[in-house]
PDB file of all heavy atoms in Angstrom:
ATOM      1  N   PRO A 202     -14.482  38.911 -40.795  1.00 97.00           N
ATOM      2  CA  PRO A 202     -13.349  38.950 -41.716  1.00 97.00           C
ATOM      3  C   PRO A 202     -12.619  37.658 -41.891  1.00 97.00           C
ATOM      4  O   PRO A 202     -11.890  37.510 -42.876  1.00 97.00           O
ATOM      5  CB  PRO A 202     -12.430  39.974 -41.012  1.00 97.00           C
ATOM      6  CG  PRO A 202     -13.323  40.778 -40.113  1.00 97.00           C
ATOM      7  CD  PRO A 202     -14.354  39.828 -39.667  1.00 97.00           C
ATOM      8  N   PHE A 209     -21.293  26.127 -54.038  1.00 93.00           N
ATOM      9  CA  PHE A 209     -21.281  24.978 -54.961  1.00 93.00           C
ATOM     10  C   PHE A 209     -22.386  25.230 -55.990  1.00 93.00           C
ATOM     11  O   PHE A 209     -23.585  25.198 -55.696  1.00 93.00           O
ATOM     12  CB  PHE A 209     -21.531  23.694 -54.206  1.00 93.00           C
ATOM     13  CG  PHE A 209     -21.733  22.489 -55.051  1.00 93.00           C
ATOM     14  CD1 PHE A 209     -20.800  22.200 -56.067  1.00 93.00           C
ATOM     15  CD2 PHE A 209     -22.834  21.649 -54.924  1.00 93.00           C
ATOM     16  CE1 PHE A 209     -20.972  21.062 -56.908  1.00 93.00           C
ATOM     17  CE2 PHE A 209     -22.988  20.542 -55.759  1.00 93.00           C
ATOM     18  CZ  PHE A 209     -22.063  20.270 -56.732  1.00 93.00           C
ATOM     19  N   ALA A 212     -20.662  27.045 -61.646  1.00 83.00           N
ATOM     20  CA  ALA A 212     -19.410  27.774 -61.811  1.00 83.00           C
ATOM     21  C   ALA A 212     -18.390  27.482 -60.756  1.00 83.00           C
ATOM     22  O   ALA A 212     -17.262  27.921 -60.820  1.00 83.00           O
ATOM     23  CB  ALA A 212     -19.729  29.297 -61.863  1.00 83.00           C
ATOM     24  N   ARG A 230     -31.462  31.641 -51.132  1.00 93.00           N
ATOM     25  CA  ARG A 230     -32.294  31.884 -52.307  1.00 93.00           C
ATOM     26  C   ARG A 230     -32.324  33.342 -52.654  1.00 93.00           C
ATOM     27  O   ARG A 230     -32.392  34.198 -51.755  1.00 93.00           O
ATOM     28  CB  ARG A 230     -33.760  31.406 -52.004  1.00 93.00           C
ATOM     29  CG  ARG A 230     -34.722  31.601 -53.206  1.00 93.00           C
ATOM     30  CD  ARG A 230     -36.168  31.315 -52.785  1.00 93.00           C
ATOM     31  NE  ARG A 230     -36.354  29.918 -52.403  1.00 93.00           N
ATOM     32  CZ  ARG A 230     -36.746  29.454 -51.225  1.00 93.00           C
ATOM     33  NH1 ARG A 230     -36.923  30.332 -50.261  1.00 93.00           N
ATOM     34  NH2 ARG A 230     -36.882  28.145 -51.044  1.00 93.00           N
ATOM     35  N   GLY A 233     -37.005  36.717 -54.628  1.00 75.00           N
ATOM     36  CA  GLY A 233     -37.929  36.534 -55.731  1.00 75.00           C
ATOM     37  C   GLY A 233     -37.617  35.312 -56.597  1.00 75.00           C
ATOM     38  O   GLY A 233     -38.371  35.000 -57.503  1.00 75.00           O
ATOM     39  N   PRO A 245     -14.315  29.034 -37.960  1.00 96.00           N
ATOM     40  CA  PRO A 245     -12.880  29.254 -37.727  1.00 96.00           C
ATOM     41  C   PRO A 245     -12.403  28.535 -36.482  1.00 96.00           C
ATOM     42  O   PRO A 245     -13.016  28.511 -35.435  1.00 96.00           O
ATOM     43  CB  PRO A 245     -12.797  30.765 -37.529  1.00 96.00           C
ATOM     44  CG  PRO A 245     -14.190  31.215 -37.226  1.00 96.00           C
ATOM     45  CD  PRO A 245     -15.087  30.313 -37.872  1.00 96.00           C
ATOM     46  N   GLU A 298       7.677   1.442 -47.669  1.00 38.00           N
ATOM     47  CA  GLU A 298       9.018   1.886 -47.237  1.00 38.00           C
ATOM     48  C   GLU A 298      10.168   1.270 -47.978  1.00 38.00           C
ATOM     49  O   GLU A 298      11.225   1.837 -48.181  1.00 38.00           O
ATOM     50  CB  GLU A 298       9.174   1.563 -45.723  1.00 38.00           C
ATOM     51  CG  GLU A 298       8.173   2.251 -44.868  1.00 38.00           C
ATOM     52  CD  GLU A 298       8.285   1.759 -43.415  1.00 38.00           C
ATOM     53  OE1 GLU A 298       9.449   1.481 -43.003  1.00 38.00           O
ATOM     54  OE2 GLU A 298       7.294   1.652 -42.707  1.00 38.00           O
ATOM     55  N   ARG A 346     -24.982   4.793 -44.217  1.00 96.00           N
ATOM     56  CA  ARG A 346     -24.624   4.282 -42.902  1.00 96.00           C
ATOM     57  C   ARG A 346     -23.496   5.037 -42.257  1.00 96.00           C
ATOM     58  O   ARG A 346     -23.247   4.919 -41.053  1.00 96.00           O
ATOM     59  CB  ARG A 346     -24.286   2.777 -43.026  1.00 96.00           C
ATOM     60  CG  ARG A 346     -25.461   1.865 -43.301  1.00 96.00           C
ATOM     61  CD  ARG A 346     -25.028   0.446 -43.655  1.00 96.00           C
ATOM     62  NE  ARG A 346     -24.348   0.389 -44.932  1.00 96.00           N
ATOM     63  CZ  ARG A 346     -23.961  -0.735 -45.526  1.00 96.00           C
ATOM     64  NH1 ARG A 346     -24.115  -1.863 -44.866  1.00 96.00           N
ATOM     65  NH2 ARG A 346     -23.329  -0.689 -46.708  1.00 96.00           N
ATOM     66  N   ARG A 362     -12.460  24.445 -22.442  1.00 93.00           N
ATOM     67  CA  ARG A 362     -12.166  25.818 -22.024  1.00 93.00           C
ATOM     68  C   ARG A 362     -12.798  26.077 -20.693  1.00 93.00           C
ATOM     69  O   ARG A 362     -12.311  26.902 -19.906  1.00 93.00           O
ATOM     70  CB  ARG A 362     -12.697  26.819 -23.109  1.00 93.00           C
ATOM     71  CG  ARG A 362     -12.461  28.231 -22.680  1.00 93.00           C
ATOM     72  CD  ARG A 362     -13.023  29.259 -23.627  1.00 93.00           C
ATOM     73  NE  ARG A 362     -12.913  30.613 -23.078  1.00 93.00           N
ATOM     74  CZ  ARG A 362     -13.406  31.700 -23.643  1.00 93.00           C
ATOM     75  NH1 ARG A 362     -14.076  31.613 -24.772  1.00 93.00           N
ATOM     76  NH2 ARG A 362     -13.247  32.889 -23.071  1.00 93.00           N
ATOM     77  N   THR A 394      27.842  11.848   2.862  1.00 40.00           N
ATOM     78  CA  THR A 394      27.437  12.995   3.618  1.00 40.00           C
ATOM     79  C   THR A 394      28.139  14.249   3.004  1.00 40.00           C
ATOM     80  O   THR A 394      29.253  14.187   2.528  1.00 40.00           O
ATOM     81  CB  THR A 394      27.895  12.876   5.100  1.00 40.00           C
ATOM     82  OG1 THR A 394      29.349  12.683   5.107  1.00 40.00           O
ATOM     83  CG2 THR A 394      27.231  11.761   5.775  1.00 40.00           C
ATOM     84  N   PHE A 425      18.014  13.660 -15.638  1.00 96.00           N
ATOM     85  CA  PHE A 425      19.010  12.625 -16.033  1.00 96.00           C
ATOM     86  C   PHE A 425      19.753  12.983 -17.293  1.00 96.00           C
ATOM     87  O   PHE A 425      20.978  12.939 -17.339  1.00 96.00           O
ATOM     88  CB  PHE A 425      18.243  11.292 -16.214  1.00 96.00           C
ATOM     89  CG  PHE A 425      19.042  10.134 -16.731  1.00 96.00           C
ATOM     90  CD1 PHE A 425      20.142   9.682 -16.028  1.00 96.00           C
ATOM     91  CD2 PHE A 425      18.722   9.554 -17.919  1.00 96.00           C
ATOM     92  CE1 PHE A 425      20.856   8.546 -16.502  1.00 96.00           C
ATOM     93  CE2 PHE A 425      19.459   8.492 -18.398  1.00 96.00           C
ATOM     94  CZ  PHE A 425      20.533   8.011 -17.692  1.00 96.00           C
ATOM     95  N   ALA A 427      19.736  16.099 -18.798  1.00 95.00           N
ATOM     96  CA  ALA A 427      20.360  17.418 -18.682  1.00 95.00           C
ATOM     97  C   ALA A 427      21.683  17.330 -17.913  1.00 95.00           C
ATOM     98  O   ALA A 427      22.675  17.979 -18.349  1.00 95.00           O
ATOM     99  CB  ALA A 427      19.341  18.372 -17.952  1.00 95.00           C
ATOM    100  N   LEU A 436      30.674  10.581 -21.886  1.00 97.00           N
ATOM    101  CA  LEU A 436      31.258  10.454 -23.205  1.00 97.00           C
ATOM    102  C   LEU A 436      30.228  10.439 -24.312  1.00 97.00           C
ATOM    103  O   LEU A 436      30.446  10.943 -25.425  1.00 97.00           O
ATOM    104  CB  LEU A 436      32.079   9.151 -23.284  1.00 97.00           C
ATOM    105  CG  LEU A 436      33.163   8.925 -22.218  1.00 97.00           C
ATOM    106  CD1 LEU A 436      33.764   7.574 -22.361  1.00 97.00           C
ATOM    107  CD2 LEU A 436      34.207  10.052 -22.337  1.00 97.00           C
ATOM    108  N   THR A 507      13.785   4.249 -24.484  1.00 95.00           N
ATOM    109  CA  THR A 507      15.076   3.949 -23.837  1.00 95.00           C
ATOM    110  C   THR A 507      16.037   5.067 -24.034  1.00 95.00           C
ATOM    111  O   THR A 507      16.033   5.783 -25.056  1.00 95.00           O
ATOM    112  CB  THR A 507      15.690   2.685 -24.394  1.00 95.00           C
ATOM    113  OG1 THR A 507      15.693   2.714 -25.802  1.00 95.00           O
ATOM    114  CG2 THR A 507      14.877   1.419 -23.959  1.00 95.00           C
ATOM    115  N   ALA A 622      -4.619 -21.312 -18.242  1.00 97.00           N
ATOM    116  CA  ALA A 622      -5.796 -21.333 -17.373  1.00 97.00           C
ATOM    117  C   ALA A 622      -6.339 -22.742 -17.213  1.00 97.00           C
ATOM    118  O   ALA A 622      -6.756 -23.157 -16.136  1.00 97.00           O
ATOM    119  CB  ALA A 622      -6.825 -20.365 -17.854  1.00 97.00           C
ATOM    120  N   ASP A 761      -1.497  10.041  -2.927  1.00 95.00           N
ATOM    121  CA  ASP A 761      -1.250  10.217  -1.497  1.00 95.00           C
ATOM    122  C   ASP A 761       0.102   9.575  -1.086  1.00 95.00           C
ATOM    123  O   ASP A 761       0.868  10.146  -0.318  1.00 95.00           O
ATOM    124  CB  ASP A 761      -2.379   9.556  -0.681  1.00 95.00           C
ATOM    125  CG  ASP A 761      -2.147   9.644   0.828  1.00 95.00           C
ATOM    126  OD1 ASP A 761      -2.148  10.806   1.337  1.00 95.00           O
ATOM    127  OD2 ASP A 761      -1.967   8.604   1.447  1.00 95.00           O
ATOM    128  N   GLY A 775      10.181   5.450  -4.115  1.00 90.00           N
ATOM    129  CA  GLY A 775       9.230   6.382  -4.764  1.00 90.00           C
ATOM    130  C   GLY A 775       7.893   6.444  -4.074  1.00 90.00           C
ATOM    131  O   GLY A 775       7.261   7.479  -4.043  1.00 90.00           O
ATOM    132  N   THR A 784      -0.316  -8.999   1.286  1.00 65.00           N
ATOM    133  CA  THR A 784      -0.119  -9.007  -0.157  1.00 65.00           C
ATOM    134  C   THR A 784      -0.284 -10.468  -0.657  1.00 65.00           C
ATOM    135  O   THR A 784      -0.141 -11.396   0.134  1.00 65.00           O
ATOM    136  CB  THR A 784       1.282  -8.528  -0.523  1.00 65.00           C
ATOM    137  OG1 THR A 784       1.458  -8.580  -1.939  1.00 65.00           O
ATOM    138  CG2 THR A 784       2.376  -9.372   0.087  1.00 65.00           C
ATOM    139  N   GLY A 792      14.050 -18.141   1.553  1.00 43.00           N
ATOM    140  CA  GLY A 792      14.217 -19.456   2.069  1.00 43.00           C
ATOM    141  C   GLY A 792      15.620 -19.781   2.531  1.00 43.00           C
ATOM    142  O   GLY A 792      16.517 -18.913   2.390  1.00 43.00           O
TER     143      GLY A 792
END
Side-chain angles (χ1 to χ4, degrees):
F209 173 52
R230 180 187 295 116
E298 298 174 34
R346 289 171 292 183
R362 178 185 174 183
T394 57
F425 172 63
L436 305 176
T507 50
D761 177 67
T784 181

